[in-house]
Amino acid sequence: MREQIAQSYAEAEHLLEEIPRFTQKNPLEDTRGFYEYIQNCEHDRYSEKRLGHIIHVAGTNGKGSVCAFIESICRVSGYRTAMFTSPHLVTTRERFCIEGSVISEEMFVEAFNWLAVQIEQYRKVKPTYCPTYFERLFFMGIYVFARAEIEITILETGLGGRLDTTNVVHSPSVSVITEIGLDHMAYLGDTIEKIASEKAGILKAGVPVVFSDRKREASNVICKKAQELGCTCYNVSDNDYKINEIQKKFIDFSVASRYYGYGRLIACTTAVYQAENAAVAIRSVEVLKHEHRMDKITAASIREGIKAMHWSCRMEEILPNVFVDGAHNEDGIEAFVQSLNLAHTGTCVLIFSAVHDKQYETMIRMLCGLTMVTDFVVTQIPGERGADLEALRLLFDKYMDKRTQKIHTCEKIEDALALGLSVRRDMGRIYIVGSLYLAGIVESIMEDYDDRF
């Protein structure tokens, strides 16, 4: 395969989307070999030291939100930030943020073409090397961030940790592991311990680790790995934060700090799980501050950064009383259910879909226990990954309370949104949940939704 140069953003995206047809995941050593190659490009212009302090984040649930909280705090504190996350919802550019904003189409194309040239040059050394879709995005991120004079870079792993592309970085300043759950079991293992071991693969010798201490079996694995590598552990458990009040637009909560008396913190969300994510982020920036003398991080900037954070499709109100949440596995749905039981009053309609490789029967069973839901609208994610519509409908029919709940099916997501709006009762809410793919499609539809409805 010969690398092509893109003339436009649309062409660059198209060429990237074609990549899975030509390659498969490379051994991490091959990925590391190319990473080492670009480290030396143009007199070290793209070396890791150009990324500033790296905060490396892995986990099953909440890692995107934790990244966003960390980025917001650091940016509000006065540091120049970069953030690499996945997946994207609407545009691939969302994966690269500098100072809280996605990169331009021009910069995306520039990075894409730079990488194409580097791959062709590297093939003089290793002719068979062909980076995957995710690897290419990561290397493009290195180019973009290294050119932007970044002080703090937040890297979110794609899948797992030990073998993830992002794990080629040499010297993160802090490693972070969010909640561990049963997801991607075909790749990471079928127990919490096995999955935790893969996530703990991001730990580096002597680098402090902050982790969500919710499941003992996961925590034991992380702590054992940390001890082997001489990493100081900072755990965040249920005892480290407390929700004081839930309002329609925000959560008022407190965090037990090793250094500050924060008083009350405000997160502009009604998702109760964001209190834990915020607590993990706060502990992470505290460690960064005190391990690396990042003195611009203060109690005030932490409070402001938590309040200012926005992360799409995490109990996000996209229209009045219409919320979309990216919960897409058992633990995510459990947290979503908890949020509704604590914060929701009145009745609501729930729109749901899932991808076929998730444990969606358990997810549906939990959702059917939400007594405030009057109508379920089941829809289908387009393409091969979407779960069968009739299979989803039969599971809702199996678990829902037929005395008080109804089920509707719509093949098209835009039709499901229209139906949900038509059947909800006065002032009732609509919740859209089940898949990040679904959330991304809904976000895209919403760009012109106000004009259509």
Side-chain angles (χ1 to χ4, degrees):
M1 176 185 174
R2 186 167 180 82
E3 297 300 311
Q4 298 184 55
I5 299 299
Q7 302 301 319
S8 66
Y9 174 68
E11 185 180 4
E13 274 206 313
H14 173 72
L15 291 171
L16 277 168
E17 288 164 2
E18 290 290 300
I19 291 299
R21 295 173 52 197
F22 302 104
T23 189
Q24 57 187 2
K25 183 173 174 58
N26 293 299
L28 191 62
E29 285 308 307
D30 287 358
T31 307
R32 184 174 285 115
F34 184 69
Y35 181 69
E36 299 296 342
Y37 172 78
I38 65 172
Q39 292 288 289
N40 300 314
C41 289
E42 299 178 31
H43 306 290
D44 299 336
R45 187 171 187 180
Y46 306 107
S47 69
E48 191 171 297
K49 64 185 179 183
R50 300 276 186 173
L51 306 183
H53 290 282
I54 295 173
I55 302 177
H56 197 190
V57 183
T60 303
N61 292 303
K63 62 182 187 290
S65 295
V66 168
C67 287
F69 275 124
I70 292 171
E71 190 281 330
S72 182
I73 292 168
C74 292
R75 175 163 41 87
V76 166
S77 298
Y79 294 104
R80 187 163 172 80
T81 61
M83 184 169 67
F84 176 76
T85 58
S86 62
H88 62 272
L89 297 174
V90 178
T91 169
T92 317
R93 294 183 293 119
E94 295 168 28
R95 296 173 182 246
F96 315 93
C97 286
I98 295 176
E99 292 283 271
S101 298
V102 300
I103 64 170
S104 68
E105 292 185 358
E106 292 76 15
M107 177 53 71
F108 187 95
V109 174
E110 182 180 319
F112 177 90
N113 290 336
W114 171 85
L115 181 60
V117 172
Q118 300 308 320
I119 293 170
E120 287 291 353
Q121 291 293 324
Y122 187 65
R123 283 183 180 146
K124 295 176 182 178
V125 179
K126 193 174 181 63
T128 60
Y129 182 65
C130 186
T132 64
Y133 175 84
F134 186 78
E135 289 167 355
R136 288 167 188 261
L137 292 173
F138 172 71
F139 293 133
M140 287 168 62
I142 298 298
Y143 173 85
V144 170
F145 299 158
R147 294 177 67 88
E149 300 181 354
I150 296 300
E151 295 174 281
I152 297 173
T153 297
I154 300 100
L155 293 179
E156 179 189 4
T157 59
L159 177 63
R162 181 176 64 91
L163 299 177
D164 188 73
T165 297
T166 61
N167 206 29
V168 298
V169 296
H170 302 124
S171 304
S173 295
V174 184
S175 301
V176 183
I177 301 179
T178 65
E179 183 194 1
I180 303 294
L182 295 172
D183 202 2
H184 300 296
M185 291 182 286
Y187 304 99
L188 304 179
D190 57 0
T191 66
I192 292 294
E193 290 88 349
K194 290 177 182 177
I195 295 172
S197 181
E198 291 297 315
K199 306 291 186 183
I202 70 167
L203 270 59
K204 303 291 188 297
V207 176
V209 56
V210 177
F211 68 94
S212 172
D213 188 12
R214 292 191 66 185
K215 295 184 174 74
R216 179 175 296 178
E217 57 268 47
S219 298
N220 289 342
V221 170
I222 295 167
C223 289
K224 181 180 178 182
K225 182 70 172 179
Q227 186 176 22
E228 292 171 359
L229 294 171
C231 306
T232 305
C233 283
Y234 299 87
N235 67 312
V236 177
S237 72
D238 292 347
N239 296 324
D240 291 304
Y241 63 93
K242 176 187 175 184
I243 295 175
N244 303 312
E245 183 181 8
I246 303 173
Q247 292 287 346
K248 185 178 179 181
K249 300 286 187 180
F250 66 87
I251 296 174
D252 179 323
F253 66 105
S254 304
V255 172
S257 167
R258 291 171 177 260
Y259 307 102
Y260 301 117
Y262 292 117
R264 290 187 158 183
L265 296 152
I266 298 295
C268 295
T269 176
T270 57
V272 295
Y273 55 79
Q274 291 293 36
E276 177 182 339
N277 292 331
V280 171
I282 289 170
R283 187 61 47 81
S284 301
V285 296
E286 287 179 346
V287 172
L288 180 69
K289 173 184 173 69
H290 290 277
E291 293 278 342
H292 298 282
R293 302 185 62 83
M294 309 295 283
D295 293 333
K296 290 193 286 186
I297 296 171
T298 65
S301 68
I302 287 173
R303 281 194 296 269
E304 186 179 347
I306 293 296
K307 188 173 183 179
M309 191 281 272
H310 171 76
W311 194 230
S312 293
C313 294
R314 275 67 176 182
M315 206 64 88
E316 179 185 12
E317 189 172 16
I318 54 176
L319 286 176
N321 288 320
V322 179
F323 295 80
V324 62
D325 190 272
H328 58 281
N329 54 37
E330 293 179 27
D331 287 333
I333 293 295
E334 183 179 7
F336 171 80
V337 168
Q338 181 188 18
S339 290
L340 260 64
N341 283 329
L342 287 174
H344 182 84
T345 57
T347 61
C348 65
V349 174
L350 192 142
I351 299 174
F352 179 87
S353 194
V355 295
H356 67 79
D357 58 351
K358 298 292 183 180
Q359 304 295 312
Y360 54 76
E361 180 168 0
T362 303
M363 295 160 61
I364 290 169
R365 177 177 53 78
M366 288 190 284
L367 292 170
C368 286
L370 289 166
T371 57
M372 70 283 289
V373 178
T374 60
D375 295 79
F376 294 103
V377 182
V378 186
T379 187
Q380 188 160 25
I381 295 167
E384 296 180 356
R385 292 209 65 186
D388 181 72
L389 184 60
E390 179 63 13
L392 295 176
R393 187 195 69 78
L394 288 172
L395 288 172
F396 275 99
D397 190 64
K398 175 181 177 180
Y399 290 110
M400 72 181 192
D401 186 342
K402 297 182 179 63
R403 296 169 300 175
T404 59
Q405 296 174 326
K406 297 178 182 178
I407 186 169
H408 315 267
T409 57
C410 293
E411 184 174 337
K412 294 183 177 180
I413 294 171
E414 52 265 44
D415 293 340
L417 288 168
L419 180 61
L421 287 167
S422 70
V423 300
R424 69 171 172 176
R425 300 174 185 178
D426 291 344
M427 299 305 293
R429 289 186 173 186
I430 296 174
Y431 293 97
I432 304 158
V433 70
S435 168
L436 281 171
Y437 289 94
L438 173 64
I441 293 168
V442 169
E443 284 276 299
S444 182
I445 291 170
M446 284 302 164
E447 290 182 349
D448 63 346
Y449 209 74
D450 286 325
D451 296 333
R452 295 167 54 197
F453 294 88

